[in-house]
Amino acid sequence: MKVTDDDDNEQPWDGKTFGRLKVRGPAVAAAYYGGAGTEQFDADGWFDTGDVAHLDPNGYMQITDRAKDVIKSGGEWISTIDLENLAVGHPDVAEAAVIGVPHSKWDERPLLVIVKKPGKEPAKGDILGFMEGKVAKWWMPDDVAFVAEIPHTATGKIQKTTLRDQFKGYRLPTD
């Protein structure tokens, strides 16, 4: 197993630097049923799992996000899952999702989408103030959007593709 950046450079095993999780070995299939999926393998047989992870010096791996959901801001990666988990820790938040929205300088920046708990009325500043100091400053969402509900799949996963469509053309106040 290894973690690489977008240019396929192996990342250090420092427990912090994350990138694409790749695996290879006798128990890793060479393709999906019918031969599909061979594009997920490189010339050396490494399979790109589609996950973003980091490895610590002892070889312990932690998956931090899906590659398709991670936000790439100014060449750095921001984990949507970490931001979502932090936001739902706020006492007035029922559910949270984070998506990347286009930004003219940074390529993408995080937009935090919130469903309020019944009877609660948190403001954008309340949510961002709660998160401040708990993640790197450059990870902080640039805006908060309040919605009545967040779309889910039949299995209960957040449908980030639907959210991206819903917020297509959204302009951040920082852009």
Side-chain angles (χ1 to χ4, degrees):
M1 136 176 72
K2 68 178 180 177
V3 173
T4 66
D5 64 13
D6 282 337
D7 296 322
D8 208 33
N9 299 309
E10 192 164 348
Q11 300 294 71
W13 290 29
D14 59 7
K16 298 175 196 165
T17 309
F18 55 93
R20 295 180 164 281
L21 177 63
K22 296 186 178 183
V23 296
R24 139 179 113 171
V28 178
Y32 295 111
Y33 180 74
T38 56
E39 70 279 355
Q40 294 298 113
F41 293 83
D42 67 18
D44 295 324
W46 287 97
F47 174 69
D48 187 337
T49 66
D51 294 311
V52 174
H54 60 75
L55 294 162
D56 77 5
N58 296 315
Y60 289 98
M61 180 263 304
Q62 179 180 351
I63 295 174
T64 57
D65 214 336
R66 294 288 296 158
K68 63 185 177 188
D69 292 335
V70 74
I71 297 168
K72 294 180 181 171
S73 181
E76 299 290 339
W77 291 5
I78 300 172
S79 170
T80 61
I81 292 173
D82 287 346
L83 292 176
E84 291 163 358
N85 287 340
L86 179 57
V88 296
H90 188 285
D92 296 344
V93 173
E95 189 174 22
V98 176
I99 58 170
V101 293
H103 191 276
S104 59
K105 180 176 180 181
W106 303 112
D107 294 325
E108 285 186 310
R109 291 294 303 147
L111 171 65
L112 176 59
V113 182
I114 296 287
V115 175
K116 302 173 193 176
K117 283 188 177 173
K120 301 294 183 177
E121 288 299 324
K124 170 184 165 180
D126 297 331
I127 305 296
L128 295 178
F130 173 80
M131 296 174 71
E132 198 168 338
K134 296 176 181 150
V135 293
K137 186 175 180 179
W138 58 273
W139 275 39
M140 286 293 291
D142 284 24
D143 204 5
V144 177
F146 295 97
V147 295
E149 66 181 7
I150 291 175
H152 294 88
T153 66
T155 59
K157 292 182 180 179
I158 294 173
Q159 284 186 321
K160 292 202 178 178
T161 54
T162 303
L163 276 179
R164 287 185 199 101
D165 286 343
Q166 182 179 340
F167 286 95
K168 190 187 310 184
Y170 188 86
R171 299 280 300 173
L172 291 166
T174 58
D175 194 14

